[in-house]
Amino acid sequence: MSIKIKAGMIAAVMCICMAGCGNKNDTSSADNDSRVAGGAVTKVTTQEEDTAAEESKAEDTDSKASDDDGEAQGPTGADSYEHSLTAAFADQLNTRNFSVTYAQNDIDSGEGMQLQYEETLEVNGTGGHQTIINADGSINEVYIVDGVCYSADENGELQITAMGNVMGDICSMVFGFSPAESEFKGAETYSDGTVQETFLDETNVTFVCTYADGKLTSCEGAGYLRDYKGFTEGGVDEIKLPEGN
């Protein structure tokens, strides 16, 4: 295959699939107010027993406070971006050796959730490889090598579609927005254990990242929903152009 240069498209952005993930203010969630009902049980004790019990309880409380020191995690989730699950996942992404698969859906078309495409993104250092399966079944492949973005045309020939710091903000490529550059609005933990962390980006668009068992399951904002299918840290070989290019 030969490489053709497409004029006028020198940009420091991803050549395909840089649309943000969606948000919906009425995102459904599990009831967080479930409580177990039960009657109080009383026990008659001596003053000495009461004193000993109070001292033991105080020691347990001090010990737990020491264990939790620095985590800043409460019953409703993290108190800041630095302590959030999103920040922890961003740290994994910034190691720059991973693969992630997600489906991007349009949830603001007025016709229900519509699949746009499913993407697998592989990253090794400054190199990247995207395999995009569109809703119509067609497939696009994109390679980012040495700061240049190549996309295969309908004949399978690679064209240069972008140049520069294409892989500069790896988190934006995965989340659909930049969490570190956005305002952390808070976190909420639900009775089923899921956690939702909310952000407001520089354009005042709200994004909601949902986690289950500490793993990112979806990101919603700007009318789109990214549904994450899998994430593997490490194991990605150096990204190279196909042979013959």
Side-chain angles (χ1 to χ4, degrees), residues 106-114:
D106 184 344
I107 58 174
D108 199 25
S109 64
E111 299 179 0
M113 188 167 68
Q114 299 289 318

Side-chain angles (χ1 to χ4, degrees), residues 134-158:
N134 299 301
D136 62 4
S138 61
I139 299 175
N140 298 102
E141 280 201 273
V142 177
Y143 296 86
I144 303 96
V145 177
D146 296 330
V148 183
C149 180
Y150 303 85
S151 179
D153 63 16
E154 62 274 9
N155 298 317
E157 296 181 346
L158 292 181

